[in-house]
Amino acid sequence: MFGKNVSIKRKLMTAILVNSASVLLLACIAFFSYEYYSFRKSSLSRLSTIGKIVAINSTASLAFKDHKDATEILLALKSEPRILVAALYDKENHLFAQYPINAPADAFPKKVGSNGSQYQNNFITLFQPIVQYNKQLGTLYIKYDMKTLYERFKVYTAVVILIIILISCWAYFLSLKLQQRIAGPILELAETARAISDDKDYSVRAVEVGSDELGRLTESFNYMIMQIEKQNISIVSINHQLEQSSAELQDIMDYSVDVICTLDRKGNFVKISAAAKTLWDYEPFELIGCNLKNLVHQDDIAGIDPVIELIINGEQSTNFENRFIRKDGKEVSMIWSARWKEKEKLIYCIARDATAIKNAEYKLQKRAKELAYSNEELEQFAYIASHDLQEPLRMVSSFLTQLEKKYKDQLDDKAKQYINFAVDGAVRMRRIILDLLEYSRIGKKKEHLELVDLNEVVNQVVQFCKTTIEEKGAQVIAENLPTVRAIRMPVQQMLQNLIGNALKYQKENVKPIVKIIAEEEETYWKISVIDNGIGIDPQFFDKIFLAFQRLHNNTEYSGSGIGLAICKKIAEKYDIQLWVESELDKGSIFTFTITKNNDKQ
Ligand code: ADP
């Protein structure tokens, strides 16, 4: 009904006008119809009454054919101006009398029509039979004017038009008023919406008007704008962050030392960072579309497809190595980290120059090999030397003993003392040689894992040190030690050396008390040997584990300086942790670990 571009004000006005006009029109139609039919009805009834009266009055005139009397009777109809013409017909249907007297003959019907009334345009015609004693004497004809009705209708129409004009003015006036009340807030809303969309200023709010539907609409509108403003703020900040991130990403691409690139599933370069120039001597654009297989060492070509296959099949991230042939023909070792991204159908890669690492690895391996070889040689030498030295040493000490026995009487005290020193030296040397032999034998024997009851091992050590324990009045306390799955010999040797030292390095006039305890951790046991001896200055913690390194001379405490070196070598060989906690004069704690579910110890 209303065009899309018509203003609300016009729409309101038109609505009021159309509404009022249609109501008025309907009322008029109803009124007109009622007026028309009631007028017609009353006219008909009046005409019929007049007709009957005139017919009765005319009976005598017609019976006696009194023309003058009949004309006079008709003349009485003058009092009814709406009767235009009237006539009396005799029984032969000849015009007998007429009204008005001077009316032309064609004003009357030539023939008498059927009885009753009939509408004809602006008239009603009536043929009323004049009857006496059931005998029709003639017929009365009356033509009744209905124009009055239509004139009255004209007046009504004029009044209706006038009212419509008045209503239009009223509607206009009302629309102006309503516009302030209804259209005003809507226009305000529209204006605010326009300002927001034009200026992108989401801080603007529509003025709230009361709490009716428009007020609620304004409130909802303002709430909506507030939400948009909030979202806008977060979108702006997200955009800002996005811009920042993409700039940072670009920086990473530009400044990364490693090559960052994407490959399609066939291994063709799709995107590549600036480091391609420094690492591979290629400008990034030169590599776009090139296949990786054409750029690596020919021995590494075959490895590429399987790796790509692995990555595409969900290997989240994988490290693979190959040799990349630079544009200048040089070869660089690369380590690749790569990941498949299903959405983009691309492999995202980082390629790092591993040439230095590879060289270092090569050198390290070479060095390790050399070291292993020289260690082997050294151990072999130590073993042979200590083994072969035993024989001449045995000779030296037995001849010295013979010398002392046979020439006892010829030797003075000084000579005897020298011989004693020499024998003592030979004994110590024998001890050192035996320790050295033990040291070089570590890990050489074929060994197997077994269940080892540590209580039993400690008991054996105690038996072995029985004399020392008794001489010193020492105590060795070990309770509830676990049974572990391990290789027996290293564990036994370790405990023997540590308990032996704990007994040896006693404080003056203090009887040694040695405790062996076990603490259970998730994956290993911690076995500690705790003593109340002289303790160790922490600065020497590293030194004491080296071979022949002693903190005391032989007159204070005898020894070869190999016991802890043996423990350390066992620890290295069997993947055992070994450490010391101590302070001078406060005793020492030596701890080593035994792995549970052990496969190596
Ligand atoms: P040795 O006992 O034959 O001298 P070790 O290798 O067993 O050789 O010990 C090296 C040095 O560590 C010892 O000379 C000693 O000074 C020190 N040491 C070892 N165990 C203890 C201990 N329980 N208390 C104090 N000092 C110790």
Side-chain angles (χ1 to χ4, degrees), residues 485-550:
R485 195 171 135 75
I487 298 168
R488 180 180 288 271
M489 267 325 283
V491 177
Q492 185 162 349
Q493 218 163 356
M494 191 94 104
L495 276 170
Q496 191 165 313
N497 287 358
L498 295 179
I499 294 172
N501 279 352
L503 290 168
K504 185 172 22 170
Y505 295 103
Q506 75 175 106
K507 269 196 232 168
E508 219 180 324
N509 302 324
V510 177
K511 288 181 179 169
I513 300 174
V514 182
K515 285 184 198 157
I516 299 103
I517 60 160
E519 289 169 81
E520 187 171 10
E521 299 291 337
E522 200 179 334
T523 53
Y524 57 87
W525 286 97
K526 272 191 338 189
I527 313 295
S528 300
V529 178
I530 307 165
D531 67 44
N532 61 341
I534 55 170
I536 306 161
D537 188 335
Q539 63 171 310
F540 300 123
F541 281 175
D542 287 337
K543 187 178 173 186
I544 56 174
F545 288 102
L546 300 174
F548 305 116
Q549 296 296 328
R550 306 200 66 229

Side-chain angles (χ1 to χ4, degrees), residues 362-373:
Y362 175 73
K363 276 184 192 158
L364 214 69
Q365 273 172 6
K366 204 174 149 207
R367 187 98 189 95
K369 256 188 204 166
E370 285 169 5
L371 258 165
Y373 182 71

Side-chain angles (χ1 to χ4, degrees), residues 463-480:
Q463 282 307 312
F464 186 78
C465 305
K466 203 174 168 199
T467 327
T468 319
I469 292 170
E470 279 170 3
E471 273 172 17
K472 297 192 175 217
Q475 281 185 70
V476 178
I477 307 162
E479 276 169 18
N480 298 327

Side-chain angles (χ1 to χ4, degrees), residues 98-194:
Q98 68 172 57
Y99 164 81
I101 299 165
N102 52 357
D106 60 355
F108 303 100
K110 298 237 167 0
K111 275 168 61 184
V112 174
S114 52
N115 293 340
S117 57
Q118 210 179 5
Y119 288 100
Q120 281 178 352
N121 297 326
N122 298 331
F123 313 104
I124 308 175
T125 55
L126 174 74
F127 287 98
Q128 175 73 40
I130 301 166
V131 182
Q132 191 183 37
Y133 307 123
N134 291 332
K135 213 171 139 197
Q136 188 167 350
L137 300 177
T139 305
L140 170 67
Y141 167 74
I142 299 174
K143 189 176 185 184
Y144 195 81
D145 183 16
M146 289 289 281
K147 269 189 192 146
T148 338
L149 172 69
Y150 301 116
E151 264 152 26
R152 203 192 286 184
F153 277 4
K154 275 183 195 161
V155 175
Y156 288 167
T157 311
V159 170
V160 167
I161 290 169
L162 188 73
I163 290 174
I164 286 180
I165 291 168
L166 283 174
I167 280 186
S168 304
C169 296
W170 174 241
Y172 181 73
F173 171 73
L174 258 185
S175 74
L176 282 180
K177 286 280 156 203
L178 284 175
Q179 187 212 338
Q180 284 163 8
R181 296 285 299 277
I182 299 171
I186 296 174
L187 291 176
E188 161 87 22
L189 271 183
E191 183 53 33
T192 313
R194 192 202 52 74

